Amino acid sequence: MMDATRRFLSEHEFLSRRFFLSLGAAGAVLAQIPGTATAFEPRNAVLESAVTKLESFLTAPDKFRDVSRGTPLPHKLSDEKKSEVGLTRETWRLEVVSDAEHPAKLGQQFQKSDGTALDFAGLMKLAETHSVKFPKVMTCLNIGCPLGMGIWEGVPLREIFWRTGARENVRRVYYEGFHNDDPKQLFRSSLPIGRVLEDPYDLPPVILCYKVNGEWLSSERGGPVRIVVPEAYGFKSIKWLSKITLTNLAHSNDTYADGNNDIDSPLKSFAATLSVPNIVTPGEPIPVTGYAQVGISGVSKVQIWLAPASTEKSKDDPYFQQAPWSDAEVLPPPSNWGGNLPDGQIPPGTLGFDPVSGKPRSWPMRLAKVHWAALIPGVPAGDYKLRCRTIDEKGAGQPLPRPFRKSGHAAIEEVSITVK
Ligand SMILES: Nc1nc2c(c(=O)[nH]1)N[C@H]1C(S)=C(S)[C@@H](COP(=O)(O)O)O[C@H]1N2
Ligand SMILES: [Mo]
């Protein structure tokens, strides 16, 4: 078995023990993992050394994949320059203004010119009574593979909104980040005011985020302050937040609308592999692992299907809905959350976790990542394709119900396996 598989499984202690015990049993797909644990067998040396290189549920803030734009990249500016342009906690200022051409009726604007812009101390004052934290996977609509998993902490955007004394004619919130004062580099996004004021379907609020995984938000992650929209793809979570414009326009102005993106698309569920042996001995069971992104409609199952490489896609079944899929094991919550959390603990008060036990309230957790594993029965020599998919909580098999690429990645992954 590959090192990566060992590494990956070893963080999920209950599962890994059962997984390795079951390796001998050809044809076994992993059984449901009970919540109770018995004594662990000592790990062998290879496994033990692999433990130090685990992939974790949460991503350390500096291990996120960075796709942000800018020349120069705002987080690469010198400390001196950052301080000058408001990219430090000491010098950050947020403007909140009414759209001059399509004005919202406000009691007050917050502006740099008259010294009323919100500063970091002001944000921290609001944080004392209003801060929230929630887990969320950051995924770029255009890339598909998640950039990282964090517990994002911030003040709900509506707390700032209400301090403008807004009364009417506000239909949308436009917001933008620092962009080297160059209009061509502007990166902006927007939300309907309703999403800012209310959290539908038990979603966490849209926040002005200043911490991730218990640490101050780094410059690379968009610090000192970024927007985080829980259910959205990354482009809605504007980094280096500098200005909010309240408008009576009804339509979006998102940078991501250019480039044919579907900017109203919430996160989709999909599965992908992490470790697959590319060459396998005939008749030998094949251990595979992967992750699933848990989109807005949740994940009820992860399924896999190993088919001869020659298997053709039928015209009436372009998404292999009729294929003989079998269930993989969705791994339980890990014992080690990773992500450089202070004391390795989920920060107290994190939404989605029980305050007393510290355990997740539901699993797989919506808008997060979950891991899975399966042992595929041995097969005769030949070329194969392994596919995996999620089934959401409404029973829709990936990439349904929203199969189009420009609303976010959900295509069924195919991995080649040669058995010889
Ligand atoms: N100001 C600004 N914010 C931005 C971007 C950007 O280029 N500039 N990129 C967006 C996109 S497209 C994504 S996918 C996420 C990535 O967030 P991350 O760098 O924390 O992973 O940031 C978003 N916020
Ligand atoms: Mo993105």
Side-chain angles (χ1 to χ4, degrees), residues 20-305:
F20 285 102
L21 291 178
S22 68
L23 277 179
V29 169
L30 289 170
Q32 196 61 40
I33 303 308
T36 52
T38 48
F40 298 121
E41 274 105 65
R43 291 196 181 99
N44 71 30
V46 183
L47 181 55
E48 194 59 50
S49 76
V51 166
T52 54
K53 297 168 201 154
L54 294 178
E55 177 196 290
S56 52
F57 178 82
L58 293 172
T59 310
D62 62 342
K63 295 282 166 356
F64 274 60
R65 211 167 131 192
D66 186 50
V67 296
S68 41
R69 309 159 181 216
T71 324
L73 284 166
H75 60 82
K76 295 270 167 72
L77 295 172
S78 68
D79 289 348
E80 206 180 4
K81 184 76 185 168
K82 280 181 188 167
S83 162
E84 185 191 315
V85 299
L87 288 177
T88 64
R89 289 193 292 280
E90 292 70 32
T91 61
W92 179 75
R93 297 288 182 281
L94 175 68
E95 295 201 293
V96 186
V97 299
S98 172
D99 181 348
E101 274 140 60
H102 308 274
K105 207 169 191 182
L106 308 182
Q108 197 200 338
Q109 305 193 106
F110 301 111
Q111 286 173 293
K112 286 181 190 165
S113 56
D114 60 9
T116 55
L118 181 72
D119 64 8
F120 200 79
L123 184 66
M124 288 304 98
K125 189 81 200 138
L126 291 172
E128 281 172 19
T129 42
H130 297 287
S131 83
V132 293
K133 327 174 183 76
F134 53 85
K136 169 200 170 46
V137 60
M138 190 62 71
T139 301
C140 179
L141 182 140
N142 277 320
I143 295 177
C145 156
L147 306 168
M149 243 318 282
I151 291 179
W152 308 88
E153 175 177 336
V155 170
L157 173 51
R158 55 178 164 265
E159 295 303 332
I160 284 86
F161 173 80
W162 282 126
R163 275 160 184 78
T164 64
R167 285 191 304 282
E168 57 188 331
N169 289 347
V170 194
R171 288 191 281 177
R172 224 168 159 93
V173 179
Y174 291 165
Y175 48 95
E176 62 190 58
F178 171 77
H179 52 279
N180 295 310
D181 297 324
D182 173 2
K184 288 197 291 295
Q185 297 187 31
L186 182 60
F187 194 93
R188 62 187 184 183
S189 188
S190 71
L191 287 168
I193 187 64
R195 175 60 189 99
V196 174
L197 300 185
E198 190 173 13
D199 306 322
Y201 322 117
D202 289 333
L203 288 169
V206 175
I207 58 170
L208 268 69
C209 170
Y210 51 83
K211 277 188 177 179
V212 64
N213 295 347
E215 278 176 33
W216 292 120
L217 197 64
S218 67
S219 195
E220 185 173 334
R221 290 281 68 67
V225 181
R226 79 184 293 178
I227 294 279
V228 174
V229 182
E231 71 279 21
Y233 283 97
F235 70 92
K236 289 268 179 200
S237 294
I238 294 295
K239 299 162 84 167
W240 315 297
L241 181 68
S242 60
K243 187 174 180 186
I244 294 175
T245 304
L246 304 171
T247 183
N248 200 29
L249 280 174
H251 58 75
S252 86
N253 69 347
D254 295 35
T255 300
Y256 249 43
D258 312 334
N260 193 22
N261 297 302
D262 174 357
I263 53 159
D264 289 322
S265 174
L267 270 186
K268 298 179 182 182
S269 297
F270 74 89
T273 56
L274 281 173
S275 65
V276 178
N278 300 107
I279 299 181
V280 184
T281 309
E284 230 171 62
I286 309 166
V288 295
T289 65
Y291 68 88
Q293 172 169 292
V294 188
I296 195 84
S297 288
V299 166
S300 67
K301 277 180 184 183
V302 173
Q303 298 188 315
I304 53 167
W305 169 39

Side-chain angles (χ1 to χ4, degrees), residues 268-269 296-297 319 392 394-404 407 410:
K268 298 179 182 182
S269 297
I296 195 84
S297 288
Y319 306 127
D392 74 18
K394 293 178 178 129
Q398 184 194 326
L400 297 175
R402 294 184 285 136
F404 305 131
S407 53

